[in-house]
Amino acid sequence: MAGALTDVLGEVLVAADGEEVAVSALAARGVSLLKLWNKYRVSNIPSLIFIDASTGKVVCRNGLLVIRDDPEGLEFPWGPKPFSEVVAGPLLRNNGQTLDSSALEGSHVGVYFSAHWCPPCRSLTRVLVESYRKIKEAGQKFEILFVSADRSEDSFKQYFSEMPWVAVPYTDEARRSRLNRLYGIQGIPTLIVLDSKGDVITRQGRVEVLNDIECREFPWHPKPVLELTDSNAVQLNEGPCLVLFVDSEDDGESEAAKQLIQPIAEKIIAKYKAKEEEAPLLFFVAGEDDMTDSLRDYTNLPEAAPLLTILDMSARAKYVMDVEEITPDIVEAFVSDFLADKLKPEPI
């Protein structure tokens, strides 16, 4: 493990008090590289994350953009700023009209990071246009802000011509970059949904739009437990996930499983929210379908149902509890043991 840490972090780290600490010493103290990846939800490399040494809280997820945009460190310590401050300035409509960003105040806002060259982006945009129309027709105060990752202004204009909402001008690269930094964008398409105060409701707007075509659950406050689907399976790659596999041919089995897990999920989420941290686990119920079968095959899981698992794709590790009956006490003990590093992983 010391070698892996050295490969990623270098030979020496500097502690908050200025003391130089050998990476091998950190490894000897039980520091886990994989834990760092999961804690900070790193999905690609290189990634540079700035942390407040006194609290351990993330200051900025997109450190590479910070270095590019502020090489002199004039904005140090690069802490998060309010959305209203970062977005401040003129916005565009696709007919060429401009409006001030203050027009977004009092509305829910979807901050849409997308590009014409990205096929999944174009597919999502077609769905999102209809969702936007339905939400507006229902009388909801909702606006979408397009933040382009296009490679030319001509591509931006072509793509934006399909959108009925507003955009940051393509020429304002600094503001586009600041919005990427604010939300730690690591891939597109990404739709961040904000409340009327500019606070994040969900970072999974893409999944919500695809799962809620009629927009009945707008503004899509996160659910403690999700039913695993083709559209949200991508979240399995974002960190450790508890997945309870059930026999969906048994009427009500999936819903009963959700109700069993939900109090435990809510407790974990609330605990970490109080510390202003993301929960260390996502929670899913998986029924019987082709996607679930593929997941079982990929992770080499037994065909049993019910089957309680924690899957950590980035670590290529799984934790399995195959018992005849899943009870709240069993789930809570399983989660507690995982968070306390008491479980022995099996390879995926």
Side-chain angles (χ1 to χ4, degrees):
M1 180 59 74
L5 283 166
T6 303
D7 289 343
V8 176
L9 299 177
E11 293 290 341
V12 172
L13 297 176
V14 178
D17 58 4
E19 176 191 1
E20 291 188 350
V21 182
V23 170
S24 57
L26 288 177
R29 296 174 195 174
V31 174
S32 166
L33 173 61
L34 294 174
K35 275 187 156 185
L36 291 175
W37 280 64
N38 289 332
K39 179 177 178 62
Y40 299 114
R41 302 289 171 94
V42 175
S43 60
N44 55 37
I45 54 173
S47 287
L48 177 61
I49 299 172
F50 292 111
I51 300 165
D52 184 331
S54 63
T55 65
K57 293 179 181 177
V58 172
V59 173
C60 177
R61 291 187 179 278
N62 277 14
L64 296 175
L65 281 180
V66 168
I67 290 172
R68 187 195 73 182
D69 296 346
D70 185 26
E72 302 298 323
L74 300 178
E75 298 180 24
F76 182 83
W78 304 304
K81 298 177 181 178
F83 169 72
S84 59
E85 182 178 337
V86 176
V87 78
L91 304 177
L92 290 179
R93 292 201 179 278
N94 62 15
N95 60 5
Q97 293 181 341
T98 63
L99 68 161
D100 190 77
S101 59
S102 60
L104 300 177
E105 293 177 3
S107 296
H108 287 84
V109 177
V111 188
Y112 185 37
F113 299 86
S114 185
H116 186 264
W117 55 261
C118 164
C121 293
R122 297 198 302 273
S123 297
L124 179 61
T125 295
R126 288 191 287 271
V127 177
L128 191 54
V129 167
E130 288 303 306
S131 298
Y132 178 78
R133 179 184 60 79
K134 290 173 183 176
I135 293 167
K136 300 284 275 188
E137 288 179 352
Q140 298 271 14
K141 296 188 71 175
F142 180 52
E143 193 52 77
I144 293 177
L145 175 67
F146 173 39
V147 183
S148 173
D150 287 295
R151 293 167 178 161
S152 71
E153 188 168 11
D154 286 342
S155 293
F156 162 76
K157 288 178 178 178
Q158 179 184 350
Y159 194 29
F160 187 39
S161 69
E162 306 169 11
M163 303 176 182
W165 43 74
V166 299
V168 176
Y170 185 80
T171 54
D172 195 342
E173 184 177 356
R175 193 160 32 140
R176 290 191 288 123
S177 182
R178 287 196 297 270
L179 285 161
N180 272 272
R181 284 162 46 188
L182 179 63
Y183 297 114
I185 302 303
Q186 297 189 27
I188 56 173
T190 295
L191 178 66
I192 310 286
V193 181
L194 311 178
D195 65 18
S196 58
K197 297 179 181 178
D199 296 326
V200 174
I201 293 176
T202 180
R203 300 179 58 87
Q204 301 296 333
R206 174 190 183 185
V207 171
E208 299 293 352
V209 165
L210 295 175
N211 280 346
D212 183 25
I213 297 298
E214 297 303 319
C215 306
R216 293 191 178 97
E217 298 182 4
F218 176 82
W220 302 304
H221 289 281
K223 299 181 182 69
V225 183
L226 297 173
E227 186 166 347
L228 192 61
T229 64
D230 288 332
S231 60
N232 65 26
V234 66
Q235 292 177 256
L236 293 174
N237 295 312
E238 295 185 1
C241 299
L242 182 142
V243 184
L244 175 54
F245 293 86
V246 298
D247 180 3
S248 60
E249 294 181 359
D250 185 348
D251 290 343
E253 186 74 15
S254 291
E255 188 58 36
K258 287 183 191 176
Q259 294 302 317
L260 185 151
I261 295 174
Q262 183 155 325
I264 298 159
E266 289 175 340
K267 182 178 177 181
I268 295 292
I269 292 168
K271 176 182 176 181
Y272 283 85
K273 185 177 181 180
K275 298 191 291 185
E276 298 183 357
E277 295 180 7
E278 293 187 41
L281 273 175
L282 298 177
F283 296 83
F284 292 91
V285 169
E288 297 283 345
D289 55 32
D290 291 342
M291 190 275 295
T292 300
D293 289 343
S294 296
L295 178 61
R296 283 184 185 265
D297 289 343
Y298 177 75
T299 54
N300 196 26
L301 289 171
E303 292 298 321
L307 182 68
L308 183 62
T309 68
I310 291 175
L311 305 178
D312 188 344
M313 297 301 193
S314 62
R316 298 189 61 80
K318 64 186 177 185
Y319 308 81
V320 182
M321 178 167 285
D322 185 1
V323 295
E324 290 187 5
E325 182 181 5
I326 306 293
T327 67
D329 287 344
I330 286 175
V331 176
E332 188 154 18
F334 188 54
V335 170
S336 296
D337 286 348
F338 171 77
L339 296 178
D341 289 327
K342 293 180 179 179
L343 301 180
K344 182 178 180 180
E346 302 175 43
I348 289 179

